[in-house]
Amino acid sequence: MIVPKHYEDLHVLHENTMPNRSYYIPASTRMDDLVEHREHSDRMQLLNGDWKFRYYDSIYDLQDAFYETDFPLEDFDVLPVPSVWNMHGYDVQQYTNIRYPFPLDPPYVPYENPCGAYVHSFTYQKEERAPKTYLNFEGVDSCFYLWLNGRYVGYSQVSHSTSEFDVTDFLEEGENKLAVLVLKWCDGSYLEDQDKFRMSGIFRDVYLLKRPEQSVFDYFVTTDIREQEAEVKIRLNYTGDAVATQMTLYDAQGTLIGRSTAEKTVDKDGFTHEAVMQVTHPILWNPEAPYLYVLVIDTGSEVITERVGIRDITVNGTVIYVNGKQIKFRGVNRHDSDPVTGFTIGLDQMKKDLFLMKQHNFNAIRTSHYPNAPYFYQLCDQYGFLVIDEADHESHGASQIYCEHNEDWDKHVEVWNTPFADNEDWMEATMDRTQRCVMRDKNRPCVVIWSMGNESAYGCTFEKALAWTKAFDPTRLTHYEGSYYYDRNKKYDFSNIDMYSMMYRTIETSMDDMKDVPDKPFLLVEYSHAMGNGPGDLEDYFHMIQSVDQVCGGFVWEWCDHAIYKGQTENGKAMYWYGGDHGEYPHDSNFCLDGLVFPDRTPGTGVMEYKNVYRPARITAYDSMTGEAVIHSYMDFVNLQEYCTAAYQVTCDGKVVSSGQIDMESVAPRTDARLSIPVTVPEAGRCFLNVTYALKEAEEIRPAGFILGFDEIALKNRDSRNQTNVHLWSVGNTAEPVSVVEESDRFLVVQSEAFTYVYNKLTGVFESMKFHGSDLITRPMNVNIWRAPTDNDKKIKLEWMDAQYDRCMTRAYETSYEIVNGEVRIHSVMAVLAPSVQRLMDMDAIWTISGDGAVTLRMDVARDMRFPELPRFGIRMFLPKKMEEVCYCGIGPMESYCDKRIAGSYGVYTHKAADMHEDYIRPQENGSHCDCDYVQISSDTMMLSAVGAKAIAFNASVYTQEELTEKKHNYELIPCGSTVLCLDYAQAGIGSQSCGPKLMEKYQLDEETFTFAVKLIPAVK
C-alpha cells in the first residue's frame, strides 16, 4: 500500500492541516462582490476544472506512486473537479438511510476500499506582497492524501468541511503538479451515515489563497444590542506577528458608520486582538428584512471584506426571541442534492433553492446533516433565512446493532449510544466535527443555532462538544435532537442544550413532550414527512405551532427528492433512479424521494400546500353584514402594511361575481387588526370571500405583486347550495319514460331511443352503457375501495393488502326492479368481497334510470369494523379515451385531499385528463379533487356529468390504479386507453406516515355506516 492507514486510525484525523478558522476570501483591496464572485479576488486562484483521474476498485490495486512528478498519465481519464465520481461512470450510486453500507466494525472499513487518484497541473506565480500560499479543499468524501510536486503534504477527513494546507514551501514558480488520493471510506464514514445517496470524490471547490507573511488568520464578529445602540466587536488573531489592522464599518448604502484599530487583548479563545465599534440607531438583521453592514478589515497589504448582520437570539422562559421579537421557525430540512451533479452544488443551484424557499414562505433552513459550502450561508444572510447549522455527524447505523428485540431499537437506546456517542475513543472525532463547523461559520448572522449533528444518540462525546460550543459562542443557541437516545441507567449533562426537539411526533405526543420538558422551547426538528403525495397534515401542525408559545416552529422533512437522472425515454420522458436501481445492497428503495420539490426543483403540490398554510396573514373573522374583518399577522418583524397588499374576490358557484382592493391597515407583527371589506353576497349559490396577499415592493427574489397566499372564507346566504348542482340533480324529472326493460338470469337491459344500459344482476353495477349509439363506458363499472398506495400509505397498505382490499369484487345477492313514474328503479342487496376473507361490507343499492338516460345511485353501506379503515369508497368508470376534457367545480387547480387542500380553492376548473396526473417518480395515488359539487367529462360529441347529493371527491386519469400500484417508476407507466373516472364518497387523507405518525382519525375513512348518493347525466354536445 502506498499510503499509511490513517483512514482507520481514530487519532489521525488530519495531518499538516491549518487550524480551524472562519471562512473568508482575502484580496489586495476592498471587494464587495466576493460572495457570488469570489474568483474575482486577485489573491484567490481557483483550481477547478478537468483533472486527470483514475479509479481503483480497491486501495490495494493502487501500487504506483502516481503522485511523482514524472509519473506517466496516459492511462488516466479526465474528471471534472468538483464532482462526485459516481455521476461519471465510476463505482455505483448507493442510497441507504440508516444502515451502514459496510459492516459495523469500527474503526475498520472494508479492506477492499475503492479510491480515486487525481492529478492536476497548474501554473503558479509568486506575489511579493503575498508570498504565503494556502491550498483549500472545501469538500472531499471521505478522506484524502495530498502531494504537491511529488512531495507529501498531508491528510484530512470530515467530508463537508474545509481542509487548508500551507503549501508555500511546496510550490514552484511556473508549472506545478498536484496529486490527491481520495478513499471511498474511512473511520469518519461511521459518523457520516446520513440519509442520502453515498458518493465519493472532490465534490466542492479547490483553490489557492495567496497571503502576506503577516496577516489576519481568524476573526470573530459579535454584536450586542442595547437601547438605540449596538456594539460590534471583532476579535482577531494573526499568522506570524500581529500587524496594524484598521476596521471600518459601513451601512448598506456605503455611509461610514465607524472606524477602529485592533488592540491587543487577552482572550480565553485564543484571539489576541480586538476592535469595538458603536452603532447608534442600528438597523437589525432579521429574515424578513435582512439588513447587512459592510466591515472592511485592512492590514495594509491585505483586505478582508465582510458583511455583518446585527441581531441577537435569546430564550426567555420557553420562548425564543430574535432581536426581542418572538419567532416561529417556518423551516425546511435541506440536503445538497442534484439529479445530475449529485451533491456537488454550485452557486446557481443554491440560489434556485433559496429563491424557491422564499417564494413559498419559508424563513428557516436546517443544513441536514452537515455544513453546506461556506458561501451558502452568505446567501442566507443576504436573502434572509434563519439557519440551524449542523455538524457533519450522524451515526444512525449504530441503532441497527443486532440484539434481542432489535426491531424496537428506539426502546433500547442504551445500545445505540454505546459504539460512538458514549465512547471516549470517539471524543476527538466528535469534537473535531463540532469545532470545524462552528469555527468556519461563526461570523454568519443567519446562523442562529448550532446543531451537534443528527441521530447519533447521546453520551460523553456530545456532552463535551456541547460544553465547548456554549463556552466558545454564547451568542447562539444549541440543539441536538439525538439527546433523547441515551442509556437510562446513567446520568448525563443536558444543560448545554437550549431546546428540546423531537421528530415526527403527533400533535398529541408533542403536547405531552412539552409537559415532560416544560422549561425549554420545543422544536419539531423534522415533521410532515414530504414523501410522494404529501404531506397531508401541514395545516393541523400549523395551528398547534401557532397556538403554543413553547413551540418555536418546525422543519419539514425535506426540501427535494433525491434521485439520479438517467436520461430520457424514447418519448422524451425523464428517467430517475432511486435506491436499489443500481443493484446496490443494502438500499432503502425510494425513501430518498421525500421532498417538497422534485429532483429538478419543479414544485410539487406539497410545497404549494406549505406556501398557503404559511401565508403572511389570515382573516380570522368576517361579518358579511357589516363587512368588518379581523386580520392576524403571522409576520415576526415587519408590519403587514409595509410588506403586502391585499385584494378580494367574491365567488359564487366557483365564478367571480365581484372584486376589489383592500385598504391594508397597519398590522404589527403577531397582532390583530380590523379591516373593512364590504361585499354583496348573492342570495343563492355556494359563495366565498377570497382575500389574496401580494408582495408590496419588488425584491431580487420576488417581483412586486407576487402572490404570497390567500384566504377562502365561506359566506352565508339564503341558499348555500351550488346552483349548477341543484339544476343537474333535477335533470330527468320530466323526461320521457323508459321504453324497454329486458331481464335474463345475468342481466337487466334498460333501453330507450337515447340509450341502452346493461346492468349486471350478479355484480350490482353496469356492465355496459351506450348513449346515442356510442359507448359511455369501455369496461364494466365497479365499486371501488382501492387506491394505488401513496408513500405515506406504506404502513397502512400492509393492512389493506392483508384485508385484500386490492382484490375486491362485488356480489349482488338479490336484484329486482320496478318502473315508477316512467323510471326504472333497480334494487340490489349486495356486498364487497375478496379472496380468503369474510365479507367486507354490505350495501343496499338503488339505481334509478330516467328516460333521458340519467342514472341516480343511492347506496347505503354497512362495514365490518374488524377490517381496517378504507383507502376510498366510490365507483369507477372507464370512459372512452376521447372523453378527455374535464370541467369540475371543487377544490383545485392542483390535486386536493381532505387533509391537503389549503393550496387549492373552490372554483370551476378545466383540464385534460392526462394533465391531471401528478407525476410522482414512484407512481401512486394522485390527482384527486375533493369537495366537488359536480364534474363533467366530455369529448367533441358527448358529455357525462356527475353530481353528488353531498360534495364528492373525484379523479380523472389516463392510468388505472392497478398500473400505478404495479409500476416502480413513472417512466414505465402505460396509459390504459380510457379515461378512468373515479367518483368517491370520500378518500382517506394523505398524512405523512411514510416516516411520521399515523393518519389523524378525523381524516380516516372509517365510518361504520354511510350513504353514497351520486347522479350520472349523459348528454350529446
Side-chain angles (χ1 to χ4, degrees), residues 746-760:
R746 186 181 294 272
F747 299 116
L748 284 172
V749 181
V750 183
Q751 288 182 298
S752 74
E753 291 186 4
F755 65 87
T756 300
Y757 297 161
V758 179
Y759 183 83
N760 191 320

Side-chain angles (χ1 to χ4, degrees), residues 225 229-230 281-286 289-291 293 309-312 322-324:
I225 303 170
E229 188 175 71
H281 305 292
I283 301 175
L284 305 184
W285 183 95
N286 66 69
Y291 191 91
Y293 292 83
I310 299 175
R311 63 107 188 93
D312 65 14
V322 170
N323 305 337

Side-chain angles (χ1 to χ4, degrees), residues 779-963:
R779 303 187 198 179
M781 184 187 296
N782 61 284
V783 173
N784 188 26
I785 68 171
W786 181 247
R787 73 181 184 194
T790 68
D791 289 314
N792 289 310
D793 292 334
K794 63 180 281 188
K795 294 181 181 178
I796 189 64
K797 79 174 182 182
L798 301 178
E799 297 182 42
W800 290 346
M801 296 176 81
D802 192 45
Q804 301 286 326
Y805 284 177
D806 56 332
R807 300 178 181 275
C808 284
M809 65 197 83
T810 54
R811 171 169 180 166
Y813 302 98
E814 300 176 13
T815 296
S816 61
Y817 77 93
E818 58 181 340
I819 300 176
V820 180
N821 297 326
E823 297 180 326
V824 176
R825 294 184 183 175
I826 303 173
H827 179 210
S828 286
V829 177
M830 53 192 297
V832 172
L833 308 171
S836 306
V837 296
Q838 71 271 32
R839 190 184 301 182
L840 283 78
M841 63 188 73
D842 292 301
M843 298 176 295
D844 193 272
I846 296 177
W847 301 81
T848 302
I849 306 169
S850 58
D852 59 357
V855 178
T856 304
L857 167 66
R858 175 188 170 95
M859 186 174 281
D860 295 317
V861 181
R863 295 176 52 228
D864 184 335
M865 296 302 287
R866 290 172 291 185
F867 285 90
E869 62 265 29
L870 297 175
R872 69 179 343 141
F873 184 89
I875 59 173
R876 180 168 61 155
M877 305 172 67
F878 293 83
L879 310 182
K881 179 181 179 181
K882 62 183 179 181
M883 295 184 69
E884 61 176 359
E885 300 292 337
V886 184
C887 176
Y888 65 95
C889 187
I891 305 299
M894 66 286 295
E895 64 186 5
S896 59
Y897 296 82
C898 58
D899 63 344
K900 185 189 172 188
R901 55 179 292 170
I902 306 302
S905 60
Y906 182 82
V908 176
Y909 301 98
T910 58
H911 310 279
K912 289 189 180 297
D915 296 336
M916 299 179 76
H917 174 75
E918 186 73 7
D919 202 27
Y920 297 107
I921 293 172
R922 189 193 74 80
Q924 56 197 274
E925 158 61 34
N926 71 88
S928 184
H929 293 271
C930 67
D931 201 8
C932 286
D933 285 311
Y934 64 85
V935 56
Q936 296 173 318
I937 317 288
S938 61
S939 66
D940 292 339
T941 58
M942 189 182 302
M943 179 169 68
L944 176 68
S945 300
V947 295
K950 298 179 180 178
I952 60 173
F954 88 93
N955 176 296
S957 178
V958 297
Y959 304 112
T960 65
Q961 59 201 32
E962 290 83 2
E963 178 77 357

